[in-house]
Each structure stands twice: as C-alpha cells, then as structure tokens.
C-alpha cells in the first residue's frame, strides 16, 4: 500500500477545490478510469464512498478533531493536522486522506462530531 | 414540490449491461414507498428459501417509483445512451464479448463449467489470443495519463488557445504497445489539460452533449484539469477547437461531434489477429486511433447542419468513410449481424435439433460466407432467425449466460441497418430507442428496478420491432444481467462478487439491502439466525451462479 505524503501545499490545493471535485476524488482511480457515469453520478458515487468511510471512521475523526480543536483557525492547517492524526486509520485505507479531510472540514467538523 | 421528488444519479457497467444508481441525498424511492419495502422483503424471504431448495435463482424486479426528479430522469437517460452505444456499436459489442471470453477462461482455470457461458469458438482453445485481445480492448477503454505513454507525433491545431493532437504508443505488458491519439489543450489560465480519445472519454463526452441537447442546454466547455472536466468536456472541447475556424454554431458542432463519435465506435470489420495493412487494422479495431484519424481529417470535410435528419447523418458517415477509405457503417453493422447470428445459432443449436432440425440445417447457415451474408443479412438468415424465434416461445432450460444480451446486440445491429443515423442522435430519437431498447436492469440500494419509461415484453418487442431477428423477453435479459453481475470480478481473475462494493464495504443486492447478510462478507449471528428460521441457508445470487458453473462456494 502506498502512503500518501501530507504536505501543506497539497492541503491548500484541496482546500481550494469544490466539494463536488473532492467527492469525485473518493472514487478509486481504476473505477473512474473504467466506469461510465452521468456527471452527477460520479459525484454521487464519491458521496456514497465518503459517507461509508466516514461512518466507519467517525469515532477516530472526532477524537482527532477534539485533539486539535482550538489549535488553529486556518483550514489548511486544520486539514494537515487532521490528516496527520488519521494516518494509518484502517477505515480510511485506499482513499486519498488529505482530500477526505478537506471534505470533512468543508462539511463542518463541529456538526459532524456533535 | 421539489422536496417531494426523489433523486439518484447513475453509472453504467458495460460488462453487465447494468445501470447502477447512487442516492445519498434527498428522499429515496424506498422511503417513499414503505409498503413496497415490506412487500419486497416478504417476497425475498420466500423466494430465497425457494431458491435454496430448488437451486434456481429468484429475484424481485420492481417498477421505478413515480415522482423522480428531472435530474434523475436525465441521469438515467445518460446511462441509456451508454447502453445503446454498447449494444449497437461493433467495437463495443466486441468488448463485451471479450469480457465473457475472459471470464470463461478463468472459470475453466478454476475447473468450472465454462460451457455455461456464451463465448467465442476459440476462447478455450486459444487462451493467449483471448488474453491479448482483452488487454487491448481494456487499454483503449480506460482514461489514463498520456505522460505514461510514448508520444510519437504531434500536430498543432489552429485555434485561439494552443491545441495539440498527439499520437501516442501506450505500453501494453508484457511486450506490446497500443496506438492512439489524444489532445493537449491550453486553458485560459495557462494550464494545460489533456485527454486521450479512449472509449470512456468519447462515450462520456457524447452522452453529456446529447443530454444537454435533449434538455435544451448548451453543452459546457473545458475550464479545468480535474478528472471530471477531462471526462465530460475533453473530447468535446477538442472538437470545438478543431472546427472553430469553420463554425462557432454549437448546434452544428454538436451534431457533427455526435456523428463522429458514433462513427469512431463502428469499425470492427477485421479480426485482431488478422494479417495485412497495420494502419487499416488499427483504424478498424482501435477506437482512440480511429477517432484521432477521423477528427483530424474531418477538418477538410463538409459539416452536418444542427439537428440533422437521420438520413443526413447516414449520408455524412457513409461519405466520410468513402473519403477516408473505410468500410461504411452499414458494412460494420452487417458484419456484426453475421457474427452475432452465428453465435446465436451455436447457443440455440441443441434446441433447434430438439425441434427436429438436423445438424446439416445449422451447418447450412453457419457455412454461408460472411461477405455473402453481410450483403443481405435478412435474405441470408431470416429462416434461421424464425427457427430461433420459435424455439424461444416454448419454455426451455437455461441458455448459456450472455445469450440474451447477445440477442439484444443482434437486434440493435439490425436496427442500425434498418434505421441508420438514429443512434448518432439519441436526443432526437430517444423515445423510439427507449421503447425498443430499454435498460435491462437498474440497481439502487440493493433493489432491482425495470426501466421506468417502457415495459418491453415480447408483445411490445413484436409491436415495435416486427423485423427484429431475436425476440428476447425482458425478464430473460434482466436474468442475464443478474448472472453477469456476480461474475464480473472474474474477468480480472478476482474472487468476490460484483454485488459486493469494495469501497463502501456493502453488499449492493437485496440480501444486503434487507440485512439478510452476504455469505461472501460473512454473516452476523442475527443474520444466520434469520436465514435458518426462513430456510435460506447461505443462499445468494453468487451461490446460484457458482452452482451453475460448478465452482466452489464461497471461494
């Protein structure tokens, strides 16, 4: 399994992307390369995978969030800190971790962990 | 009102001819129809127990609930376009057939009964050829980064922003390459976007443009380098830039783009292992190569008007083929009719003999030279088609897996011959095409649905297609899909089940939806208890197919 390198530069790039583009990134590369989707279908497939992975990792995500909450108000830093805390989480294996974290933060960590 | 509509978006899986729907937001149809949910659950428990006892597979097909959102309807139309592309285009039909051959090879390797699959004559005797052909078709299908290929040539296109058509040689392990074309395009911000003209890129761009035309919207243009931009807008953007000196009328550009993509998916008049002129062979078999040639040469060719009549599309495609020195689309479709008819004769051989036809009767039709049959397929084959039609009308044992799908492809190829030009403009002929070729199966959250726009049973088929060679019952085509889904991972030599979705870890079948459990993924105590209580044991769709193919279960 390849390990994703966590960099502030990549985090800033993901932070600048739309939710739809980030959701598309949840779809495995091979599935994207082979699959035929409607435009919204690709986004929805990403949402399906994101929701399933979030369901399995919610406890770890929220624990990590509580550990870093208040450390920074900068969302790029938040993405990096959250990703660093979640590295190696089995529930998130095989998906791009930084993009996942960027999505979690864009969707609202506080609401998610309430 | 909008709050009460249900939403889903689709994807089409060509190896199973399946439209999978995702719905992770808004109101689900299942929530709208609670009574149907309960009824379907009760029926599943009863039919699964019956399947466990009898060894035959049962499943419940529902009608799509009403109150679908416009976006959902549009998304399903998009997937129908892909279905029509795959069943009617010779090169895409071949991709489907090669997937079946590849599955059969792996079934044979596992000691299973490969004869239960509808495969090519040489699939088992010449596995190397099957593996090579499968790899070639897969390589021309998938999107990839052109930086990983060897760039063997570059042509500059005159356009406001820098635009290149590149010729690449893509490595194909262990020691082959496959050629193709793609485009590299400068964007207004200075970034460069790339798109190889693979089947996925072409089919998606064409379906997207068609969807826009049907809805009366102007198709969007390429503005970024994300995978979605590349997929939907890449080939379309290139086409627009290529012809920007001739016209900026988007209706004209779209009509010509759709006719060109449709023509790129034709071809197939030679075999992958044929000797002869290499360039012509690639033009006939390799979609990314074929489209590149077609696109570049189309700069010197006349353009179709916006919203052309089907006759105009037919003439444009035939004239272009003459200009390019290619066989006309008619020849490609006729060659497909010959190949598919031969396969159907093989599939129905035993039944035809049971019906009193001697071996020599079958041999007579199989021995008609391909060129002679292609000149007038109806004259050559009407008699054997009628014999097969009669055989389908009596209840019989199961046909090889894939037979019904191939029957539909045979019909689609004849439909192309009888109605040329229609498949290249589905936004103009959508209702007619949907009535004749509805999606065989839609899968949403583990429930199985018929295409909502039409119900094509044998009577409907007869009404719409009095001249079609094969009379498939819609339920049989659906059954074919249901058998192909669990088998799909075998094409890549993978264990597991096509109903089990690895990225989400969920079984996307009725057993998963109703929490009866997936034997492949492992049953919980509650699921085992429920199954024992209802006499379901470890039954599921995958177990049926493994029994049929004499494979061990679970693997």
């Amino acid at each position: 399994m390849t390990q994703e390198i966590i960099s502030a530069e990549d985090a800033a790039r993901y932070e600048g992307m739309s939710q739809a583009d980030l959701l598309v990134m949840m779809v495995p590369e091979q599935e994207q390369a082979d699959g035929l989707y409607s435009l919204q279908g690709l986004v929805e497939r990403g949402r399906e995978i994101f929701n399933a992975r979030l369901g399995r990792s919610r406890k770890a995500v929220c624990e990590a969030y509580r550990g870093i909450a208040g450390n920074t108000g900068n969302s790029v830093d938040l993405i990096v800190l959250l990703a660093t805390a979640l590295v190696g989480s089995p529930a998130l294996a095989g998906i791009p971790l930084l993009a996942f974290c960027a999505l979690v933060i864009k969707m609202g960590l506080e609401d998610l962990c309430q | 009102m909008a709050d009460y509509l249900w939403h889903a978006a689709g994807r089409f899986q060509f190896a199973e001819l399946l439209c999978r729907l995702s719905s992770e937001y808004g109101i689900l149809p299942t929530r709208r129809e609670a009574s149907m949910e309960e009824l379907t659950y009760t029926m599943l428990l009863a039919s699964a127990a019956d399947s466990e006892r009898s060894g035959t597979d049962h499943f419940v097909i529902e009608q799509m609930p009403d109150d679908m959102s416009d976006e959902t309807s549009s998304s399903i139309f998009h997937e129908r376009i892909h279905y029509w592309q795959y069943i009617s285009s010779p090169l895409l039909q071949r991709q489907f057939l090669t997937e079946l051959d590849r599955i059969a090879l792996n079934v044979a390797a596992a000691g299973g009964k490969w004869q239960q699959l509808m495969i090519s004559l040489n699939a088992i005797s010449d596995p190397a050829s099957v593996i090579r052909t499968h790899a070639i078709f897969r390589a021309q299908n998938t999107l990839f980064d052109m930086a990983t290929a060897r760039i063997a040539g570059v042509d500059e296109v005159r356009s406001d922003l820098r635009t290149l058509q590149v010729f690449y040689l893509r490595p194909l392990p262990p020691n082959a390459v496959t050629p193709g074309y793609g485009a590299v395009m400068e964007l207004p911000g200075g970034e460069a976007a790339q798109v190889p003209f693979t089947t996925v890129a072409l089919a998606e761009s064409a379906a997207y443009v068609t969807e826009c035309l049907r809805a009366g919207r102007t198709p969007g243009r390429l503005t970024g380098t994300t995978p979605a931009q590349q997929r939907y807008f890449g080939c379309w953007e290139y086409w627009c830039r290529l012809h920007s000196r001739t016209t900026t009328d988007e209706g004209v550009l779209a009509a010509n783009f759709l006719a060109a993509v449709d023509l790129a998916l034709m071809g197939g008049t030679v075999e992958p292992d044929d000797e002869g002129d290499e360039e012509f062979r690639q033009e006939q078999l390799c979609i990314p190569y074929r489209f590149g040639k077609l696109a570049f040469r189309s700069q010197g060719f006349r353009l179709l008007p916006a919203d052309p009549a089907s006759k105009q599309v037919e003439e444009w495609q035939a004239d272009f083929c003459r200009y390019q020195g290619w066989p006309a689309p008619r020849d490609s479709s006729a060659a497909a009719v010959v190949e598919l008819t031969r396969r159907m004769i093989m599939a129905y051989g035993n039944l035809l003999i049971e019906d009193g036809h001697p071996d020599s009767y079958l041999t007579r039709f199989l021995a008609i030279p391909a060129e002679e049959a292609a000149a007038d397929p109806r004259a050559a084959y009407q008699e054997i088609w009628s014999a097969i039609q009669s055989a389908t009308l009596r209840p019989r044992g199961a046909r090889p897996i894939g037979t019904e799908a191939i029957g539909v492809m045979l019909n689609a190829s004849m439909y192309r011959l009888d109605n040329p030009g229609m498949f290249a403009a589905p936004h103009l002929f959508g209702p007619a095409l949907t009535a004749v070729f509805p999606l065989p199966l839609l899968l949403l959250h583990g429930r199985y649905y018929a295409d909502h726009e039409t119900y094509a049973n044998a009577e409907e088929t007869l009404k719409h297609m009095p001249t079609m060679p094969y009379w498939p019952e819609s339920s049989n085509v659906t059954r074919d899909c249901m058998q192909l889904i669990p088998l799909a991972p075998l094409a890549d030599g993978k264990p597991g089940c096509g109903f089990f979705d690895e990225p989400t870890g969920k079984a996307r079948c009725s057993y998963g939806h109703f929490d009866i459990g997936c034997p492949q993924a492992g049953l919980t105590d509650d699921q085992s208890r429920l199954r024992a209580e209802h006499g379901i044991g470890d039954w599921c769709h995958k177990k049926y197919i493994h029994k049929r193919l004499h494979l061990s279960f679970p693997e």
Side-chain angles (χ1 to χ4, degrees):
Chain A
M1 195 175 74
T2 53
Q3 186 72 59
E4 188 178 345
I5 295 166
I6 296 170
S7 73
E9 193 185 350
D10 283 343
R13 190 159 53 86
Y14 291 133
E15 205 272 334
M17 286 169 74
S18 68
Q19 281 196 22
D21 281 337
L22 288 168
L23 285 168
V24 168
M25 293 189 70
M26 296 296 111
V27 183
E29 271 181 31
Q30 193 56 48
E31 187 182 319
Q32 278 197 51
D34 289 341
L36 294 156
Y37 302 81
S38 62
L39 185 52
Q40 192 58 27
L42 192 54
V43 176
E44 285 314 304
R45 173 63 175 152
R47 196 189 308 274
E48 196 174 69
I49 295 169
F50 174 77
N51 286 347
R53 294 305 186 100
L54 183 61
R56 277 189 268 160
S57 63
R58 188 183 303 265
K59 191 164 171 266
V61 168
C62 292
E63 273 173 13
Y65 171 60
R66 276 188 278 277
I68 59 175
N71 287 2
T72 177
N74 177 324
S75 53
V76 174
D77 290 346
L78 209 50
I79 293 170
V80 172
L81 287 171
L82 186 62
T84 307
L86 291 172
V87 165
S89 171
L92 298 174
I95 58 168
L97 187 57
L98 273 172
F100 175 85
C101 293
L103 260 173
V104 166
I105 286 163
K106 277 174 183 275
M107 287 180 176
L109 254 175
E110 283 191 26
D111 289 347
L112 187 77
C113 294
Q114 258 179 4
Chain B
M1 181 63 191
D3 289 346
Y4 297 96
L5 300 175
W6 65 271
H7 302 262
R11 71 185 146 128
F12 179 72
Q13 290 178 260
F14 81 90
E16 301 106 304
L17 303 180
L18 168 70
C19 174
R20 244 178 232 272
L21 296 173
S22 297
S23 182
E24 292 289 308
Y25 66 104
I27 296 173
L28 297 181
T30 48
R31 287 190 204 136
R32 291 187 52 77
E33 312 233 332
S35 58
M36 278 304 294
E37 176 93 351
E38 199 172 329
L39 190 63
T40 308
Y41 176 63
T42 308
M43 285 173 71
L44 175 67
L45 289 178
S47 64
D50 184 50
S51 297
E52 168 71 8
R53 276 193 304 275
S54 63
T56 55
D57 200 23
H58 300 289
F59 43 86
V60 179
I61 301 288
E62 299 173 65
Q63 289 297 313
M64 274 280 174
D66 295 333
D67 301 338
M68 179 190 290
S69 67
D70 287 347
E71 293 87 349
T72 307
S73 173
S74 188
S75 184
I76 293 174
F77 182 73
H78 181 109
E79 307 316 326
R80 274 196 212 108
I81 296 167
H82 291 318
Y83 176 58
W84 298 332
Q85 287 167 336
Y86 269 87
I87 61 170
S88 76
S89 308
L91 285 174
L92 301 190
Q93 291 169 351
R94 277 180 184 229
Q95 286 198 19
F96 174 85
L97 298 174
T98 309
E99 293 288 320
L100 274 181
D101 287 350
R102 196 70 186 83
I103 291 170
L105 273 189
N106 285 329
V107 170
K113 215 170 168 188
W114 52 266
Q115 296 89 338
Q116 294 283 332
L117 287 148
M118 180 79 161
I119 56 169
S120 313
L121 281 177
N122 69 344
I124 302 300
S125 61
D126 189 1
S129 168
V130 171
I131 291 167
R132 193 169 52 247
T133 307
H134 183 253
I136 290 170
F137 276 129
R138 279 283 181 92
Q140 48 175 290
N141 201 35
T142 53
L143 280 163
F144 70 103
D145 180 357
M146 287 196 294
T148 61
R150 187 161 78 80
I151 303 303
V154 176
D155 284 304
E156 181 130 15
V157 170
R158 273 208 280 164
S159 171
D160 291 344
L161 289 165
R162 192 153 190 234
T163 305
L164 307 173
Q165 176 163 315
V166 299
F167 174 51
Y168 63 78
L169 295 167
R170 190 179 179 193
L172 203 60
N175 53 9
V177 290
T178 182
Y181 286 96
V184 178
M185 294 170 279
E186 183 190 1
L187 298 175
E191 274 184 303
Q194 56 140 311
V195 60
F197 303 146
T198 62
T199 309
V200 166
L202 290 168
E204 288 290 22
S205 265
Y208 165 73
V209 169
T210 305
E211 205 185 324
C212 290
L213 294 178
R214 176 174 175 258
R217 296 195 308 264
T218 302
R221 297 282 292 268
L222 190 73
T223 55
T225 58
T226 62
Q229 286 270 336
Q230 177 194 39
R231 165 184 293 265
Y232 298 103
F233 310 130
C235 294
W236 164 238
E237 175 71 27
Y238 177 66
W239 185 264
C240 291
R241 290 188 186 194
L242 197 60
H243 293 282
S244 59
R245 284 174 301 139
T246 315
T247 182
T248 52
D249 183 326
E250 305 231 336
V252 171
L253 288 164
N256 286 275
F257 178 65
L258 295 180
V261 173
D262 183 69
L263 187 54
L265 304 180
M266 301 297 284
T269 55
V270 298
E271 294 301 319
D273 291 332
D274 279 357
E275 301 286 326
D277 182 79
E278 178 62 13
E279 186 175 347
F280 181 73
R281 205 170 67 83
Q282 296 296 354
E283 286 171 352
Q284 285 302 299
L285 290 172
C286 184
I287 290 167
Y289 188 75
R290 190 172 159 84
F291 183 78
K293 284 289 187 86
L294 193 167
F296 210 75
R297 293 214 70 193
S298 72
Q299 292 177 99
F301 198 71
R302 70 181 164 83
L303 291 174
L304 277 167
D307 293 336
S310 58
K311 185 83 186 149
Q312 288 174 296
V313 177
E314 179 200 6
E315 285 170 1
W316 184 89
Q317 290 184 330
D319 288 350
F320 187 87
C321 285
R322 256 192 301 278
Y323 172 67
Q324 184 72 2
W326 290 349
R330 193 223 163 269
D331 300 327
S332 299
S333 291
V337 168
V338 173
E339 166 65 19
L340 297 168
T341 298
R342 288 175 173 177
R343 284 188 184 237
M344 293 304 281
I345 295 172
M346 300 300 289
Y348 274 87
N350 289 343
L351 294 190
L352 293 170
I353 290 166
E354 262 179 37
D355 284 352
H357 299 291
D359 278 358
S360 57
Y361 180 76
L362 308 187
T363 316
R364 197 179 103 207
F365 294 100
L366 290 171
I368 300 173
E371 280 184 18
E372 185 187 322
D376 189 349
R378 196 161 269 122
Y381 291 134
Q382 186 58 61
E383 187 181 337
I384 192 76
W385 291 340
S386 299
I388 292 173
Q389 285 159 8
S390 300
T392 61
L393 294 178
R394 282 184 290 284
R396 292 293 191 37
R399 298 291 83 224
I401 298 164
T403 303
E404 304 298 324
I406 292 172
V408 170
M409 289 177 184
L410 172 59
N411 283 351
S413 298
M414 259 330 270
Y415 195 82
R416 258 193 191 273
L417 284 175
D418 292 339
N419 305 277
M422 279 176 69
F423 282 103
H427 57 295
L428 301 176
F429 304 106
L433 291 170
T434 307
V436 187
F437 300 111
L439 283 164
L441 179 64
L442 295 103
L443 177 60
L444 172 60
H445 283 266
R447 289 173 68 171
Y448 318 125
Y449 295 96
D451 196 339
H452 57 286
E453 293 274 334
T454 184
Y455 183 69
N457 55 20
E459 287 76 21
E460 280 293 307
T461 308
L462 280 173
K463 194 171 91 186
H464 286 291
M465 309 188 296
T467 55
M468 286 294 98
Y470 187 62
W471 295 348
E473 274 194 47
S474 62
S475 59
N476 286 346
V477 185
T478 305
R479 187 168 290 279
D480 241 3
C481 295
M482 289 294 290
Q483 296 178 78
L484 288 167
I485 297 167
L487 276 177
L490 256 186
D492 294 308
K494 290 181 185 161
C497 173
F499 279 111
F500 187 78
D501 186 36
E502 294 280 352
T504 60
K506 290 179 179 168
R508 298 292 196 190
C509 61
S510 292
Y511 297 88
H513 174 78
F514 289 108
D515 206 22
I516 295 169
C518 171
Q520 294 276 303
L523 302 172
T524 63
D525 290 346
D526 283 348
Q527 289 164 348
S528 296
R529 231 183 341 266
L530 178 73
R531 280 172 169 265
E533 198 180 305
H534 290 274
I536 297 171
D538 63 351
W539 191 260
C540 68
H541 302 308
K542 172 97 174 175
K543 184 172 180 186
Y544 166 71
I545 209 74
H546 273 223
K547 274 177 82 88
R548 191 171 170 191
L549 297 175
H550 294 209
L551 296 169
S552 58
F553 177 86
E555 297 106 320

